[in-house]
Amino acid sequence: METGTAGTAGPAGARVEQVWTGLPRGLLRMRRLLLVAWLVPLAAATGVLLGLFAGPVWAACALLPLAVVAGGWPLLGRNWRSWRYAERADDLLISRGVLWREETVVPYGRMQLVEVTSGPVERHFGLASVQLHTAAAATDARIPGLLPEEAERLRDRLTELGEARSAGL
């Protein structure tokens, strides 16, 4: 995981440091492998079938999925680098996006449920996702591709902070 600090203006203009945590590299490996695992066999099947039934000129259409792999490879890297999260005193920040930047702020006191999920592919790569549910469905947030230990630590910490903040309401 990559971490970094960035300052933001806090109360009365004071500078508040927050530590951003990036996602593990395993998520990038998983996404790139899925890209290749789906599109390379598709290109091969398309090339063989079009070559047999439509002729060799049409078989060149099989290069299209390979072009998507070549273009998608660096885009997946840029997307992976854009994901990060920061635990602050009163809320959790989740930042993501390359062209359209999106930053979600989830106040601890508004969290109703924190789930850790891991599908078969994620489990194979040793990853898990944290899903945050709030009172407003539009503010639900997700952090994909965390190491299972970090996902469980984050779930426990967010649940603890959420209970403490909601008790004060």
Side-chain angles (χ1 to χ4, degrees), residues 54-123:
V57 173
W58 284 99
C61 292
L63 296 176
L64 184 61
L66 297 178
V68 172
V69 169
W73 192 272
L75 292 178
L76 286 173
R78 288 184 64 197
N79 179 269
W80 170 75
R81 282 189 298 278
S82 76
W83 276 86
R84 58 192 187 154
Y85 64 96
E87 298 173 61
R88 298 193 308 182
D90 296 321
D91 51 36
L92 177 73
L93 293 176
I94 302 171
S95 178
R96 64 194 168 279
V98 177
L99 292 177
W100 286 273
R101 299 284 306 154
E102 187 174 332
E103 191 165 284
T104 304
V105 179
V106 183
Y108 296 133
R110 295 290 190 171
M111 284 189 249
Q112 293 183 331
L113 176 66
V114 182
E115 291 180 305
V116 174
T117 59
S118 185
V121 176
E122 283 182 310
R123 278 194 309 275

Side-chain angles (χ1 to χ4, degrees), residues 7-18 88-91:
T8 58
R15 194 113 171 114
V16 177
E17 290 295 319
Q18 57 197 18
R88 298 193 308 182
D90 296 321
D91 51 36

